[in-house]
Amino acid sequence: MAASFSPCGPPQVRVFPPPSTPTGNRHFLRIAPSLPAPPRRIGVHFKLLQKRFSGSVRCSSSKRQSEEKLEVERLFSNLNQATLKREPGSLSSAIFLVAGTTVGAGILAIPAVTQESGFLASAITCIICWVFMVATGLLIAEVNVNTMCEMGSGGVSLVSMAMRTLGKVGVQIASWSYIFIHYALLVAYVARSSDILTNTLGIPLWESGILFSLIMGGICYFGSQRVIGAVNGILVFGIIISFAALVAVANGDLHWDALLRANFGAVPMSIPVIALSFVYQNVVPVICTNLEGDLSKVRTSIVLGTAIPLALFLVWNAVILGTITDIDMGSDKIIDPLQQLRSINGAVGPIIEVFSLIAIATSYIGFVLGLSDFLADLLKLPSGQEQNSPLPYILTLVPPLILSLLDPEIFFKALDFAGTYGVLVLFGILPAAMSWSDRYSSSTNSSSLRLPELVPGGRITLAVLIGGSGFVIISELLENFSHK
């Protein structure tokens, strides 16, 4: 399907299915990149898409160059190959996926790493980290959709994004950082969930790990977008219910004056785990594909999907730190306030176990989906829903299971290491660097089709994101070397 116009008219618009791409079930709307005349806002109606697309592109003539703002509702249509009907991604499912991925094992470790700084200082730190992580997630979405426009295919992972914007060096950094942080976190998730299931069901640790991996991995592999979205919605609802019950039970022992304590000197040591607690960026490419490149919906899903965990983190931290006030700060070993809370209030124990297991399950789903898509793209394997290869899922599920069984006490070590050297590189420095190249490099900024920038502030914002991440990493390195 194509439409041609006079030299002074609107640009060419084509709808085509890329048959050789892994996402051949998606039909893309592409605007021709080289046009001789200034365009005007256009609207083209397609029977296949059944939705209006409006946009304008940059073009040049011998006398002038003009550029108009591009407005894109969506870039392509998710089609069911069997029925040839459009199956658009649900905004609510995207919000639940972001929220579920964010609320993971990190929330269980927040009280342990913020107990020295106190609630007031840690609350301010949480809000700053939330703004930081929302910004980097929006940058990933911006670069991802621009990459989909240029490549003409969906399902674009960080590998393709880094190759397009940063070249082979960027690919190496992105690949190893992505693999490192995902495996480290999946190890932590399986280790903690195995411990919970063993205590609850009374079965050996290895059986608990296998049971958790098979159930949650099976949902990710066999489940459709609708099924996974429904499961995530149910789990997020379960998080809210168990969280409310936990707050209600523990609220009676809350010391309100303890919430005013603030030790800002201890804040830097808590930043890696707090930043890790807001990790969701691994599912941003999945969301961009499911929502058909609709930037407005993608932005809404990221902001709302992370705002829910922010509220949970603040209330959770207030309840724990406001209840446990006699914490020994003299030991170098991390003391888990949750264990102390169990010993003080017997009714809290079962609720914490349920809340912890559900929180880990929601995050586990997001990380399995993100890593399996990443490995499929890295290995050039099909990643469409009807074409899933089992190999990426096997490579995603098995290594974390083995490592968690070899060292059951790896939970806190994996979180701290991944937060310092994984999250701040992969989801701090890298998104800003890719966006810098995408916006300002002549090699990647040559396309006439330029989408709106999701993060304002230009070079200043990008420099702050890169500099802030680098400062925390260097501070952690110096701190670790000083203790040796």
Side-chain angles (χ1 to χ4, degrees):
M1 183 183 301
S4 300
F5 302 93
S6 64
C8 293
Q12 290 182 337
V13 179
R14 294 189 181 94
V15 175
F16 69 97
S20 61
T21 63
T23 52
N25 62 325
R26 302 182 179 95
H27 287 231
F28 282 78
L29 191 62
R30 170 173 288 180
I31 298 181
S34 56
L35 298 171
R40 295 182 298 271
R41 182 176 175 180
I42 60 172
V44 183
H45 185 74
F46 296 99
K47 291 182 179 180
L48 177 63
L49 299 180
Q50 294 295 318
K51 189 170 184 180
R52 183 170 298 275
F53 171 91
S54 60
S56 59
V57 298
R58 176 175 50 186
C59 56
S60 61
S61 63
S62 59
K63 294 183 179 181
R64 64 172 180 170
Q65 286 188 339
S66 65
E67 182 176 356
E68 299 182 10
K69 182 180 179 181
L70 176 69
E71 298 178 10
V72 182
E73 289 182 351
R74 57 190 171 88
L75 297 178
F76 55 87
S77 184
N78 287 323
L79 299 180
N80 186 306
Q81 290 184 340
T83 63
L84 294 181
K85 292 182 178 180
R86 176 172 171 248
E87 295 183 352
S90 168
L91 177 59
S92 60
S93 295
I95 293 174
F96 285 138
L97 181 58
V98 172
T101 304
T102 308
V103 182
I107 191 174
L108 308 180
I110 284 181
V113 298
T114 60
Q115 54 188 326
E116 187 174 351
S117 59
F119 172 74
L120 184 59
S122 62
I124 296 174
T125 307
C126 278
I127 294 173
I128 294 175
C129 287
W130 172 71
V131 173
F132 179 92
M133 298 298 273
V134 166
T136 59
L138 291 175
L139 290 177
I140 291 177
E142 179 185 315
V143 176
N144 185 269
V145 175
N146 278 330
T147 304
M148 286 196 292
C149 289
E150 185 169 308
M151 297 181 62
S153 64
V156 175
S157 75
L158 280 173
V159 172
S160 301
M161 295 162 57
M163 175 61 77
R164 171 178 165 268
T165 55
L166 302 177
K168 293 183 179 179
V169 175
V171 169
Q172 292 297 320
I173 296 175
S175 298
W176 290 111
S177 299
Y178 195 96
I179 292 173
F180 166 74
I181 185 177
H182 277 67
Y183 278 130
L185 292 180
L186 287 175
V187 167
Y189 294 160
V190 176
R192 192 56 178 257
S193 62
S194 300
D195 182 59
I196 294 173
L197 291 176
T198 296
N199 294 335
T200 304
L201 303 178
I203 59 178
L205 200 63
W206 65 270
E207 290 185 11
S208 300
I210 293 176
L211 179 64
F212 179 82
S213 300
L214 284 178
I215 293 177
M216 304 311 300
I219 292 174
C220 295
Y221 178 72
F222 294 104
S224 62
Q225 288 184 25
R226 191 179 301 274
V227 170
I228 294 175
V231 171
N232 258 297
I234 295 172
L235 291 176
V236 171
F237 184 73
I239 287 176
I240 296 174
I241 295 298
S242 58
F243 180 80
L246 177 62
V247 172
V249 172
N251 188 46
D253 299 325
L254 186 64
H255 299 82
W256 294 97
D257 56 333
L259 301 182
L260 300 178
R261 192 173 65 86
N263 178 15
F264 288 96
V267 163
M269 297 302 297
S270 66
I271 290 178
V273 172
I274 293 177
L276 175 68
S277 302
F278 283 103
V279 167
Y280 65 93
Q281 292 91 332
N282 54 323
V283 298
V284 169
V286 177
I287 291 171
C288 290
T289 301
N290 291 349
L291 295 180
E292 304 172 324
D294 189 324
L295 288 179
S296 177
K297 289 184 178 180
V298 171
R299 180 173 54 243
T300 301
S301 66
I302 289 175
V303 174
L304 293 183
T306 54
I308 296 173
L310 173 63
L312 293 179
F313 291 171
L314 294 177
V315 177
W316 167 264
N317 211 29
V319 170
I320 303 301
L321 297 186
T323 303
I324 306 299
T325 57
D326 55 343
I327 299 175
D328 182 15
M329 302 297 180
S331 175
D332 292 333
K333 185 178 180 181
I334 296 178
I335 301 174
D336 189 0
L338 299 184
Q339 298 293 342
Q340 293 183 276
L341 186 60
R342 289 190 185 98
S343 62
I344 295 175
N345 191 333
V348 171
I351 302 177
I352 289 179
E353 299 288 3
V354 172
F355 174 77
S356 302
L357 186 60
I358 298 177
I360 290 173
T362 56
S363 192
Y364 185 85
I365 289 175
F367 274 81
V368 167
L369 291 175
L371 182 57
S372 61
D373 279 355
F374 178 88
L375 293 176
D377 182 71
L378 189 66
L379 300 174
K380 306 301 180 184
L381 296 173
S383 59
Q385 189 63 47
E386 292 92 359
Q387 300 174 330
N388 273 345
S389 170
L391 181 58
Y393 287 88
I394 294 174
L395 295 176
T396 298
L397 299 173
V398 174
L401 174 62
I402 295 175
L403 291 175
S404 65
L405 295 179
L406 291 176
D407 186 4
E409 303 296 327
I410 202 172
F411 178 69
F412 281 111
K413 292 184 289 185
L415 291 183
D416 184 64
F417 204 63
T420 303
Y421 307 110
V423 170
L424 293 176
V425 172
L426 182 63
F427 299 135
I429 296 176
L430 196 66
M434 290 192 300
S435 181
W436 190 297
S437 175
D438 196 32
R439 294 180 182 182
Y440 308 116
S441 174
S442 58
S443 60
T444 57
N445 199 24
S446 59
S447 174
S448 296
L449 179 58
R450 303 301 303 166
L451 297 172
E453 296 178 358
L454 294 180
V455 179
R459 289 181 172 90
I460 296 178
T461 299
L462 300 182
V464 169
L465 294 175
I466 294 174
S469 301
F471 175 77
V472 174
I473 293 173
I474 294 174
S475 299
E476 282 288 303
L477 286 173
L478 295 177
E479 183 71 22
N480 291 333
F481 280 123
S482 66
H483 285 300
K484 291 182 179 180

